[in-house]
Amino acid sequence: MDTELAEVRALQAEIAALRRACEDQPAPWEEKSGVQKSFQAIQQFSSEGWKSSKDLKSQLGHLESELSFLSTLTGINIRNYSKQTEDLTGTEMTEKSIRKVLQRHRLSGNCHMVTFQLEFQILEIQNKERLSSAVTDLNIIMEPTECSELSEFVSRAEERKDLFMFFRSLHFFVEWFEYRKRTFEHFKEKYPEAVHLSEGPSSPSMVIRSASQPGFELVIVWRIQIDEDGKVFPKLDLLTKVPQRALELDKNRAIETAPLSFRTLLGVLGIEAALESLIKSLCAEQNG
Amino acid sequence: MEQTNPLRPDGESKGGVLAHLERLETQMSKSCKQSEEPQSVQAQEGALGTKIHKLRRLRDELRAAVRHRQASVKASIANVEPTLAVEMSEQEVLEEKLENVKAVLQAYRFTGLSGKLTSRGVCVCISTAFEGTLLDSYFVDLVIQKPLQIHHHSVPVFIPLEEIAAKYLQTNIQHFLFSLCEYLNAYSGRKYQADRLQSDFAALLTGPLQRNPLCNLLSFTYKLDPGGQSFPFCARLLYKDLTATLPTDVTVTYQGVEPLSTSWEEQRASHETLFCTKPLHQVFASFARKGEKLDMSLVS
């Protein structure tokens, strides 16, 4: 009987404790920490959040299409950009109401197959009369580095601290580069035995040989030049390689004057037609 | 006390479980009270047994209720938090993307051409600079329709905008904008050179700088030694190529009566070459430096 009484008391105590636990423990929807906060957050989220998420998405979409437009327009695809600002205004300058700010910019991206990374500094000086902004340092890293035609241009841009010229000329250079590559590839495909590209389609020269006339070679060198002002233009030259005997037989000095004639031909027919006519003339027998 | 909770679809209120348990308890205590009445020992023992039995049942139910409670709290937290976490991080990802895109859009002004899409089409901003110094920006607001039209712009009136538009606007927007860029950058550069001459080297000018709005025709008189006895040189710079920042025709003349000595004639000729090959303000900067050198030589 005592043990049973003891058990009764123990059970009653446990029941009391459990009941307290039941009362203390709030219902799930009343949990203050964790769930409650989450719930409050959801409420906030529902009112502002879903709306702003949709807003964010549409804003992002709008800006991304703006970006894609600019990328197509300039031919330049900027992928990353960051900026740091440093206030260089000294106390004496503030007295004279002069403000000096140094901005450090870093951007990277690509223009077709050329990737670039730019780091430059802009110094802004504001005095009573005017605000002047000048690029004080420009560093350009480009890949691929084998584009020797570009490296000279890059150092010139760095020296002149001419950002705009760099981008504008880069865009046109790459356009010409791609056009040259396409043109060479086209001719290689059309006349596989006659046309040889020593360094592949990206090489600046195209060699025309005819199997039926060994010893004769026409080399077309197509350089893409960027002048002092950043203007990009193609420069094509014809080099001839002929056997000694042929030279002796050449009474009209056609071979000697070939490079000059080629220039004229270019002017008349344009690049593609001029190249095609050269290939045809050397391989006339093959095509005949 | 009753709350409808969207997280607990069964709508079970706090009252429910406890009320049930309370009823059980009242039953218990009633039966307990009943059992407190004097009874035979056997009856008491029997009553105690039943009591224990009932108490045990009550305790087990309460235990179950507490566990159920804990489980459902955990479950609801689990239900809420992952979705919340997913939604929050999606927002964070979006925000980060947005910041990045905004930054890159800002960066486009460093290419010289940037712009914004508008409801009608696009507003393009052309930035100009001369040898690292950033200068004015101009905008052209284009309306996308057939034919493409310029809605409005801030291009100065003496820039041949209509000509350039007539040539390229309808066939190749890019070409149109790049061409306009060339003209505007060249104009900005010429203007900058003329402004610098006027502001920084006024001491060397013996008269006002004459210039046209397009800044492609400049005329001025200058002296290498401002205090000196010599007659000033008169320079006329013509920039026929509107896309260039260096003049195409330069004439430097001497405004004296007597013919120039050989050394002066050499100087005059060299000045003509200088003006053709170097920016105006840089030429004058070199004059100023030479002047300083001259002074130094006088001193020593």
Side-chain angles (χ1 to χ4, degrees):
Chain A
M1 184 123 144
D2 281 332
T3 42
E4 286 169 335
L5 275 171
E7 194 179 345
V8 167
R9 272 192 288 273
L11 280 170
Q12 281 174 331
E14 200 180 339
I15 287 167
L18 283 170
R19 188 172 282 126
R20 270 198 303 275
C22 247
E23 280 179 56
D24 282 348
Q25 197 168 73
W29 57 90
E30 278 178 2
E31 251 262 340
K32 290 270 163 68
S33 62
V35 181
Q36 176 73 327
K37 272 194 206 149
S38 311
F39 186 54
Q40 275 174 343
I42 287 186
Q43 273 184 323
Q44 238 177 359
F45 196 68
S46 338
S47 54
E48 313 164 345
W50 278 121
K51 226 202 297 178
S52 76
S53 173
K54 277 198 198 120
D55 272 354
L56 272 183
K57 280 204 177 120
S58 68
Q59 222 187 339
L60 188 63
H62 178 85
L63 289 181
E64 275 178 343
S65 51
E66 221 171 66
L67 199 57
S68 132
F69 166 73
L70 281 179
S71 170
T72 316
L73 180 66
T74 58
I76 307 282
N77 184 29
I78 299 180
R79 275 186 264 111
N80 275 302
Y81 169 66
S82 66
K83 164 179 154 179
Q84 284 177 324
T85 315
E86 198 185 314
D87 196 336
L88 295 180
T89 315
T91 38
E92 325 169 332
M93 288 190 235
T94 334
E95 282 164 30
K96 297 184 201 158
S97 31
I98 298 175
R99 215 174 144 238
K100 228 176 172 185
V101 173
L102 183 68
Q103 300 171 350
R104 269 180 255 265
H105 304 264
R106 182 182 286 180
L107 63 85
S108 63
N110 70 297
C111 178
H112 288 263
M113 77 292 172
V114 175
T115 55
F116 53 79
Q117 201 179 313
L118 270 75
E119 277 182 26
F120 54 97
Q121 295 181 351
I122 295 182
L123 183 62
E124 272 189 1
I125 304 179
Q126 168 103 57
N127 59 22
K128 285 191 202 133
E129 290 128 23
R130 56 173 177 207
L131 167 69
S132 82
S133 275
V135 179
T136 51
D137 190 43
L138 176 57
N139 276 303
I140 303 171
I141 303 173
M142 298 247 278
E143 301 255 326
T145 45
E146 310 92 56
C147 256
S148 59
E149 292 154 310
L150 269 181
S151 53
E152 199 193 298
F153 156 69
V154 167
S155 356
R156 205 184 306 140
E158 280 180 336
E159 217 181 275
R160 294 239 197 107
K161 306 190 182 47
D162 204 332
L163 270 175
F164 300 160
M165 179 191 83
F166 168 73
F167 281 115
R168 208 163 44 236
S169 306
L170 178 64
H171 160 73
F172 284 121
F173 179 88
V174 171
E175 257 191 21
W176 273 110
F177 188 91
E178 300 272 283
Y179 174 59
R180 178 178 72 187
K181 188 167 163 215
R182 277 199 307 273
T183 312
F184 281 174
E185 275 171 346
H186 160 78
F187 284 122
K188 178 72 187 164
E189 220 179 276
K190 198 167 172 191
Y191 307 98
E193 273 117 45
V195 172
H196 301 271
L197 304 168
S198 51
E199 293 152 50
S202 305
S203 74
S205 57
M206 180 172 94
V207 179
I208 308 172
R209 274 184 227 133
S210 166
S212 60
Q213 300 178 42
F216 280 87
E217 225 176 70
L218 292 178
V219 180
I220 293 152
V221 182
W222 182 347
R223 272 183 281 259
I224 303 167
Q225 297 195 322
I226 310 179
D227 74 3
E228 285 280 312
D229 296 326
K231 288 208 175 85
V232 183
F233 53 94
K235 190 156 176 290
L236 284 93
D237 281 306
L238 176 66
L239 302 174
T240 56
K241 183 175 151 203
V242 295
Q244 189 66 30
R245 223 179 96 65
L247 265 177
E248 288 160 12
L249 288 172
D250 181 17
K251 298 273 172 5
N252 294 333
R253 294 163 69 233
I255 293 164
E256 237 178 85
T257 57
L260 216 56
S261 318
F262 177 60
R263 288 269 175 87
T264 323
L265 195 65
L266 274 177
V268 171
L269 294 178
I271 296 176
E272 282 174 62
L275 292 184
E276 181 127 33
S277 70
L278 271 182
I279 299 173
K280 283 199 173 137
S281 67
L282 193 62
C283 310
E285 284 173 23
Q286 283 182 337
N287 291 341
Chain B
M1 279 297 277
E2 303 267 334
Q3 286 178 26
T4 45
N5 174 29
L7 294 176
R8 297 282 317 270
D10 53 26
E12 196 180 48
S13 66
K14 181 180 176 184
V17 174
L18 279 184
H20 176 65
L21 291 169
E22 270 166 1
R23 268 177 266 125
L24 272 180
E25 204 207 349
T26 0
Q27 274 181 343
M28 279 288 32
S29 47
K30 271 194 197 150
S31 59
C32 272
K33 278 192 185 133
Q34 280 168 0
S35 68
E36 274 171 27
E37 284 167 16
Q39 276 174 355
S40 64
V41 174
Q42 232 179 12
Q44 274 185 332
E45 277 178 359
L48 210 52
T50 338
K51 188 175 178 181
I52 289 175
H53 191 71
K54 283 187 178 158
L55 280 174
R56 279 192 194 145
R57 238 184 70 209
L58 180 60
R59 180 207 56 191
D60 291 340
E61 280 192 23
L62 275 172
R63 272 189 187 167
V66 168
R67 253 180 309 200
H68 181 67
R69 250 270 154 113
Q70 282 177 337
S72 52
V73 166
K74 273 202 184 136
S76 46
I77 293 178
N79 278 338
V80 168
E81 278 186 0
T83 31
L84 194 63
V86 164
E87 278 147 4
M88 287 307 257
S89 69
E90 193 185 304
Q91 177 152 20
E92 274 169 25
V93 164
L94 275 178
E95 278 174 358
E96 205 183 296
K97 256 192 180 172
L98 197 65
E99 285 310 303
N100 195 40
V101 173
K102 277 187 186 166
V104 172
L105 278 171
Q106 280 291 299
Y108 267 94
R109 62 199 159 100
F110 295 119
T111 65
L113 263 186
S114 71
K116 275 184 151 51
L117 295 178
T118 63
S119 51
R120 288 177 298 257
V122 60
C123 183
V124 179
C125 177
I126 298 174
S127 314
T128 62
F130 181 70
E131 295 198 335
T133 307
L134 303 175
L135 302 168
D136 294 329
S137 299
Y138 303 89
F139 74 87
V140 179
D141 201 342
L142 293 170
V143 182
I144 309 276
Q145 31 167 255
K146 285 205 156 75
L148 204 58
Q149 276 184 4
I150 300 174
H151 187 248
H152 60 285
H153 63 87
S154 67
V155 175
V157 82
F158 37 80
I159 302 281
L161 179 61
E162 288 79 30
E163 243 179 68
I164 305 170
K167 262 197 210 164
Y168 305 117
L169 185 58
Q170 303 309 326
T171 46
N172 191 340
I173 301 182
Q174 199 187 55
H175 203 157
F176 163 72
L177 287 170
F178 276 120
S179 182
L180 190 57
C181 247
E182 261 191 319
Y183 278 86
L184 285 171
N185 267 285
Y187 160 66
S188 254
R190 292 192 303 267
K191 180 164 170 291
Y192 177 71
Q193 291 175 67
D195 289 342
R196 285 290 297 270
L197 173 60
Q198 267 184 310
S199 63
D200 298 357
F201 302 102
L204 293 175
L205 292 177
T206 57
L209 169 68
Q210 291 176 342
R211 56 201 272 188
N212 63 344
L214 192 47
C215 287
N216 74 327
L217 180 57
L218 303 177
S219 178
F220 52 90
T221 50
Y222 65 99
K223 245 187 179 183
L224 282 189
D225 50 343
Q229 299 291 325
S230 59
F231 277 94
F233 281 145
C234 182
R236 185 176 171 274
L237 275 62
L238 175 64
Y239 304 72
K240 269 203 201 126
D241 182 359
L242 292 182
T243 63
T245 52
L246 286 174
T248 47
D249 301 320
V250 174
T251 40
V252 177
T253 51
Y254 170 64
Q255 292 204 311
V257 181
E258 292 138 26
L260 272 178
S261 66
T262 346
S263 62
W264 280 109
E265 176 54 40
E266 271 171 19
Q267 265 210 352
R268 190 201 63 79
S270 76
H271 286 193
E272 272 186 358
T273 321
L274 273 176
F275 285 130
C276 269
T277 50
K278 277 191 135 90
L280 192 52
H281 59 297
Q282 285 175 15
V283 176
F284 271 82
S286 68
F287 288 167
R289 276 194 301 269
K290 266 200 212 128
E292 285 163 18
K293 279 200 199 135
L294 263 163
D295 285 343
M296 291 308 290
S297 65
L298 284 176
V299 168
S300 58

PDB file of all heavy atoms in Angstrom, chain B residues 90-111:
ATOM      1  N   GLU B  90      17.473  34.236 -52.445  1.00  0.00           N
ATOM      2  CA  GLU B  90      17.187  34.575 -53.836  1.00  0.00           C
ATOM      3  C   GLU B  90      17.182  36.079 -53.991  1.00  0.00           C
ATOM      4  O   GLU B  90      17.698  36.627 -54.949  1.00  0.00           O
ATOM      5  CB  GLU B  90      15.823  33.986 -54.242  1.00  0.00           C
ATOM      6  CG  GLU B  90      15.591  34.027 -55.734  1.00  0.00           C
ATOM      7  CD  GLU B  90      14.185  33.553 -56.100  1.00  0.00           C
ATOM      8  OE1 GLU B  90      13.845  32.417 -55.719  1.00  0.00           O
ATOM      9  OE2 GLU B  90      13.467  34.329 -56.738  1.00  0.00           O
ATOM     10  N   GLN B  91      16.617  36.754 -52.980  1.00  0.00           N
ATOM     11  CA  GLN B  91      16.591  38.212 -53.015  1.00  0.00           C
ATOM     12  C   GLN B  91      17.996  38.771 -52.946  1.00  0.00           C
ATOM     13  O   GLN B  91      18.322  39.706 -53.657  1.00  0.00           O
ATOM     14  CB  GLN B  91      15.747  38.749 -51.865  1.00  0.00           C
ATOM     15  CG  GLN B  91      15.762  40.260 -51.819  1.00  0.00           C
ATOM     16  CD  GLN B  91      14.513  40.828 -51.217  1.00  0.00           C
ATOM     17  OE1 GLN B  91      13.805  40.131 -50.514  1.00  0.00           O
ATOM     18  NE2 GLN B  91      14.226  42.076 -51.491  1.00  0.00           N
ATOM     19  N   GLU B  92      18.796  38.153 -52.060  1.00  0.00           N
ATOM     20  CA  GLU B  92      20.169  38.621 -51.936  1.00  0.00           C
ATOM     21  C   GLU B  92      20.912  38.458 -53.252  1.00  0.00           C
ATOM     22  O   GLU B  92      21.658  39.339 -53.673  1.00  0.00           O
ATOM     23  CB  GLU B  92      20.905  37.827 -50.838  1.00  0.00           C
ATOM     24  CG  GLU B  92      20.722  38.391 -49.455  1.00  0.00           C
ATOM     25  CD  GLU B  92      21.219  37.443 -48.379  1.00  0.00           C
ATOM     26  OE1 GLU B  92      22.088  36.607 -48.685  1.00  0.00           O
ATOM     27  OE2 GLU B  92      20.720  37.533 -47.257  1.00  0.00           O
ATOM     28  N   VAL B  93      20.695  37.312 -53.889  1.00  0.00           N
ATOM     29  CA  VAL B  93      21.367  37.065 -55.164  1.00  0.00           C
ATOM     30  C   VAL B  93      20.944  38.111 -56.190  1.00  0.00           C
ATOM     31  O   VAL B  93      21.766  38.684 -56.908  1.00  0.00           O
ATOM     32  CB  VAL B  93      21.043  35.637 -55.670  1.00  0.00           C
ATOM     33  CG1 VAL B  93      21.393  35.497 -57.134  1.00  0.00           C
ATOM     34  CG2 VAL B  93      21.791  34.613 -54.857  1.00  0.00           C
ATOM     35  N   LEU B  94      19.650  38.377 -56.231  1.00  0.00           N
ATOM     36  CA  LEU B  94      19.134  39.378 -57.158  1.00  0.00           C
ATOM     37  C   LEU B  94      19.740  40.738 -56.886  1.00  0.00           C
ATOM     38  O   LEU B  94      20.148  41.446 -57.803  1.00  0.00           O
ATOM     39  CB  LEU B  94      17.618  39.476 -57.041  1.00  0.00           C
ATOM     40  CG  LEU B  94      16.789  38.486 -57.854  1.00  0.00           C
ATOM     41  CD1 LEU B  94      15.313  38.704 -57.575  1.00  0.00           C
ATOM     42  CD2 LEU B  94      17.056  38.625 -59.330  1.00  0.00           C
ATOM     43  N   GLU B  95      19.784  41.094 -55.580  1.00  0.00           N
ATOM     44  CA  GLU B  95      20.317  42.406 -55.227  1.00  0.00           C
ATOM     45  C   GLU B  95      21.760  42.536 -55.639  1.00  0.00           C
ATOM     46  O   GLU B  95      22.189  43.570 -56.149  1.00  0.00           O
ATOM     47  CB  GLU B  95      20.164  42.641 -53.723  1.00  0.00           C
ATOM     48  CG  GLU B  95      18.774  43.112 -53.357  1.00  0.00           C
ATOM     49  CD  GLU B  95      18.568  43.216 -51.856  1.00  0.00           C
ATOM     50  OE1 GLU B  95      19.509  42.883 -51.103  1.00  0.00           O
ATOM     51  OE2 GLU B  95      17.475  43.616 -51.455  1.00  0.00           O
ATOM     52  N   GLU B  96      22.513  41.444 -55.409  1.00  0.00           N
ATOM     53  CA  GLU B  96      23.931  41.482 -55.768  1.00  0.00           C
ATOM     54  C   GLU B  96      24.093  41.632 -57.276  1.00  0.00           C
ATOM     55  O   GLU B  96      24.912  42.416 -57.754  1.00  0.00           O
ATOM     56  CB  GLU B  96      24.603  40.197 -55.293  1.00  0.00           C
ATOM     57  CG  GLU B  96      26.084  40.347 -55.049  1.00  0.00           C
ATOM     58  CD  GLU B  96      26.701  39.021 -54.640  1.00  0.00           C
ATOM     59  OE1 GLU B  96      26.311  38.522 -53.573  1.00  0.00           O
ATOM     60  OE2 GLU B  96      27.528  38.506 -55.402  1.00  0.00           O
ATOM     61  N   LYS B  97      23.297  40.879 -58.009  1.00  0.00           N
ATOM     62  CA  LYS B  97      23.355  40.975 -59.476  1.00  0.00           C
ATOM     63  C   LYS B  97      23.033  42.386 -59.925  1.00  0.00           C
ATOM     64  O   LYS B  97      23.689  42.941 -60.803  1.00  0.00           O
ATOM     65  CB  LYS B  97      22.323  40.018 -60.086  1.00  0.00           C
ATOM     66  CG  LYS B  97      22.886  38.761 -60.661  1.00  0.00           C
ATOM     67  CD  LYS B  97      21.817  38.048 -61.479  1.00  0.00           C
ATOM     68  CE  LYS B  97      22.372  36.776 -62.076  1.00  0.00           C
ATOM     69  NZ  LYS B  97      21.315  35.994 -62.712  1.00  0.00           N
ATOM     70  N   LEU B  98      22.008  42.948 -59.311  1.00  0.00           N
ATOM     71  CA  LEU B  98      21.571  44.286 -59.671  1.00  0.00           C
ATOM     72  C   LEU B  98      22.692  45.289 -59.439  1.00  0.00           C
ATOM     73  O   LEU B  98      22.965  46.144 -60.280  1.00  0.00           O
ATOM     74  CB  LEU B  98      20.341  44.668 -58.858  1.00  0.00           C
ATOM     75  CG  LEU B  98      19.531  45.854 -59.379  1.00  0.00           C
ATOM     76  CD1 LEU B  98      18.930  45.509 -60.716  1.00  0.00           C
ATOM     77  CD2 LEU B  98      18.451  46.211 -58.396  1.00  0.00           C
ATOM     78  N   GLU B  99      23.360  45.175 -58.282  1.00  0.00           N
ATOM     79  CA  GLU B  99      24.453  46.091 -57.975  1.00  0.00           C
ATOM     80  C   GLU B  99      25.549  45.976 -59.011  1.00  0.00           C
ATOM     81  O   GLU B  99      26.112  46.977 -59.466  1.00  0.00           O
ATOM     82  CB  GLU B  99      25.036  45.782 -56.583  1.00  0.00           C
ATOM     83  CG  GLU B  99      24.175  46.245 -55.433  1.00  0.00           C
ATOM     84  CD  GLU B  99      23.738  47.683 -55.572  1.00  0.00           C
ATOM     85  OE1 GLU B  99      24.611  48.568 -55.693  1.00  0.00           O
ATOM     86  OE2 GLU B  99      22.527  47.933 -55.592  1.00  0.00           O
ATOM     87  N   ASN B 100      25.863  44.736 -59.391  1.00  0.00           N
ATOM     88  CA  ASN B 100      26.915  44.512 -60.365  1.00  0.00           C
ATOM     89  C   ASN B 100      26.567  45.106 -61.719  1.00  0.00           C
ATOM     90  O   ASN B 100      27.387  45.780 -62.344  1.00  0.00           O
ATOM     91  CB  ASN B 100      27.171  43.004 -60.503  1.00  0.00           C
ATOM     92  CG  ASN B 100      28.471  42.714 -61.210  1.00  0.00           C
ATOM     93  OD1 ASN B 100      29.461  43.388 -60.970  1.00  0.00           O
ATOM     94  ND2 ASN B 100      28.480  41.751 -62.094  1.00  0.00           N
ATOM     95  N   VAL B 101      25.330  44.881 -62.144  1.00  0.00           N
ATOM     96  CA  VAL B 101      24.906  45.410 -63.443  1.00  0.00           C
ATOM     97  C   VAL B 101      24.931  46.931 -63.429  1.00  0.00           C
ATOM     98  O   VAL B 101      25.388  47.575 -64.379  1.00  0.00           O
ATOM     99  CB  VAL B 101      23.494  44.892 -63.818  1.00  0.00           C
ATOM    100  CG1 VAL B 101      22.993  45.574 -65.060  1.00  0.00           C
ATOM    101  CG2 VAL B 101      23.538  43.396 -64.039  1.00  0.00           C
ATOM    102  N   LYS B 102      24.463  47.516 -62.322  1.00  0.00           N
ATOM    103  CA  LYS B 102      24.469  48.981 -62.229  1.00  0.00           C
ATOM    104  C   LYS B 102      25.897  49.513 -62.334  1.00  0.00           C
ATOM    105  O   LYS B 102      26.147  50.510 -63.014  1.00  0.00           O
ATOM    106  CB  LYS B 102      23.863  49.427 -60.890  1.00  0.00           C
ATOM    107  CG  LYS B 102      22.357  49.481 -60.873  1.00  0.00           C
ATOM    108  CD  LYS B 102      21.875  50.087 -59.562  1.00  0.00           C
ATOM    109  CE  LYS B 102      20.358  50.002 -59.460  1.00  0.00           C
ATOM    110  NZ  LYS B 102      19.895  50.258 -58.096  1.00  0.00           N
ATOM    111  N   ALA B 103      26.819  48.830 -61.646  1.00  0.00           N
ATOM    112  CA  ALA B 103      28.211  49.282 -61.674  1.00  0.00           C
ATOM    113  C   ALA B 103      28.790  49.197 -63.080  1.00  0.00           C
ATOM    114  O   ALA B 103      29.446  50.135 -63.548  1.00  0.00           O
ATOM    115  CB  ALA B 103      29.048  48.439 -60.703  1.00  0.00           C
ATOM    116  N   VAL B 104      28.539  48.080 -63.755  1.00  0.00           N
ATOM    117  CA  VAL B 104      29.081  47.919 -65.104  1.00  0.00           C
ATOM    118  C   VAL B 104      28.495  48.969 -66.046  1.00  0.00           C
ATOM    119  O   VAL B 104      29.202  49.534 -66.885  1.00  0.00           O
ATOM    120  CB  VAL B 104      28.829  46.492 -65.627  1.00  0.00           C
ATOM    121  CG1 VAL B 104      29.202  46.375 -67.079  1.00  0.00           C
ATOM    122  CG2 VAL B 104      29.622  45.486 -64.827  1.00  0.00           C
ATOM    123  N   LEU B 105      27.198  49.282 -65.875  1.00  0.00           N
ATOM    124  CA  LEU B 105      26.589  50.316 -66.713  1.00  0.00           C
ATOM    125  C   LEU B 105      27.285  51.652 -66.506  1.00  0.00           C
ATOM    126  O   LEU B 105      27.521  52.391 -67.453  1.00  0.00           O
ATOM    127  CB  LEU B 105      25.095  50.447 -66.391  1.00  0.00           C
ATOM    128  CG  LEU B 105      24.180  49.437 -67.065  1.00  0.00           C
ATOM    129  CD1 LEU B 105      22.782  49.520 -66.501  1.00  0.00           C
ATOM    130  CD2 LEU B 105      24.139  49.665 -68.569  1.00  0.00           C
ATOM    131  N   GLN B 106      27.626  51.948 -65.247  1.00  0.00           N
ATOM    132  CA  GLN B 106      28.357  53.169 -64.951  1.00  0.00           C
ATOM    133  C   GLN B 106      29.694  53.166 -65.678  1.00  0.00           C
ATOM    134  O   GLN B 106      30.143  54.202 -66.175  1.00  0.00           O
ATOM    135  CB  GLN B 106      28.652  53.235 -63.437  1.00  0.00           C
ATOM    136  CG  GLN B 106      27.506  53.698 -62.596  1.00  0.00           C
ATOM    137  CD  GLN B 106      27.229  55.145 -62.834  1.00  0.00           C
ATOM    138  OE1 GLN B 106      28.072  55.990 -62.595  1.00  0.00           O
ATOM    139  NE2 GLN B 106      26.063  55.451 -63.324  1.00  0.00           N
ATOM    140  N   ALA B 107      30.317  52.001 -65.720  1.00  0.00           N
ATOM    141  CA  ALA B 107      31.660  51.908 -66.297  1.00  0.00           C
ATOM    142  C   ALA B 107      31.680  52.205 -67.782  1.00  0.00           C
ATOM    143  O   ALA B 107      32.710  52.598 -68.322  1.00  0.00           O
ATOM    144  CB  ALA B 107      32.239  50.520 -66.038  1.00  0.00           C
ATOM    145  N   TYR B 108      30.539  52.029 -68.464  1.00  0.00           N
ATOM    146  CA  TYR B 108      30.532  52.241 -69.905  1.00  0.00           C
ATOM    147  C   TYR B 108      30.875  53.668 -70.311  1.00  0.00           C
ATOM    148  O   TYR B 108      31.312  53.908 -71.422  1.00  0.00           O
ATOM    149  CB  TYR B 108      29.195  51.798 -70.528  1.00  0.00           C
ATOM    150  CG  TYR B 108      29.257  50.375 -71.020  1.00  0.00           C
ATOM    151  CD1 TYR B 108      28.839  49.322 -70.219  1.00  0.00           C
ATOM    152  CD2 TYR B 108      29.810  50.077 -72.265  1.00  0.00           C
ATOM    153  CE1 TYR B 108      28.943  48.013 -70.647  1.00  0.00           C
ATOM    154  CE2 TYR B 108      29.924  48.772 -72.704  1.00  0.00           C
ATOM    155  CZ  TYR B 108      29.490  47.750 -71.890  1.00  0.00           C
ATOM    156  OH  TYR B 108      29.609  46.450 -72.313  1.00  0.00           O
ATOM    157  N   ARG B 109      30.672  54.620 -69.402  1.00  0.00           N
ATOM    158  CA  ARG B 109      31.034  55.989 -69.802  1.00  0.00           C
ATOM    159  C   ARG B 109      32.523  56.106 -70.089  1.00  0.00           C
ATOM    160  O   ARG B 109      32.948  57.006 -70.805  1.00  0.00           O
ATOM    161  CB  ARG B 109      30.600  57.011 -68.755  1.00  0.00           C
ATOM    162  CG  ARG B 109      31.253  56.827 -67.430  1.00  0.00           C
ATOM    163  CD  ARG B 109      30.469  57.531 -66.335  1.00  0.00           C
ATOM    164  NE  ARG B 109      30.807  56.970 -65.047  1.00  0.00           N
ATOM    165  CZ  ARG B 109      31.641  57.520 -64.198  1.00  0.00           C
ATOM    166  NH1 ARG B 109      32.189  58.672 -64.468  1.00  0.00           N
ATOM    167  NH2 ARG B 109      31.913  56.926 -63.063  1.00  0.00           N
ATOM    168  N   PHE B 110      33.344  55.175 -69.544  1.00  0.00           N
ATOM    169  CA  PHE B 110      34.773  55.231 -69.815  1.00  0.00           C
ATOM    170  C   PHE B 110      35.127  54.736 -71.215  1.00  0.00           C
ATOM    171  O   PHE B 110      36.280  54.838 -71.636  1.00  0.00           O
ATOM    172  CB  PHE B 110      35.553  54.427 -68.766  1.00  0.00           C
ATOM    173  CG  PHE B 110      35.443  55.015 -67.395  1.00  0.00           C
ATOM    174  CD1 PHE B 110      34.879  54.295 -66.363  1.00  0.00           C
ATOM    175  CD2 PHE B 110      35.878  56.305 -67.143  1.00  0.00           C
ATOM    176  CE1 PHE B 110      34.751  54.851 -65.098  1.00  0.00           C
ATOM    177  CE2 PHE B 110      35.758  56.867 -65.894  1.00  0.00           C
ATOM    178  CZ  PHE B 110      35.187  56.133 -64.861  1.00  0.00           C
ATOM    179  N   THR B 111      34.148  54.172 -71.915  1.00  0.00           N
ATOM    180  CA  THR B 111      34.431  53.784 -73.294  1.00  0.00           C
ATOM    181  C   THR B 111      34.160  54.953 -74.219  1.00  0.00           C
ATOM    182  O   THR B 111      34.471  54.895 -75.398  1.00  0.00           O
ATOM    183  CB  THR B 111      33.544  52.612 -73.757  1.00  0.00           C
ATOM    184  OG1 THR B 111      32.185  53.052 -73.774  1.00  0.00           O
ATOM    185  CG2 THR B 111      33.675  51.426 -72.845  1.00  0.00           C
TER     186      THR B 111
END
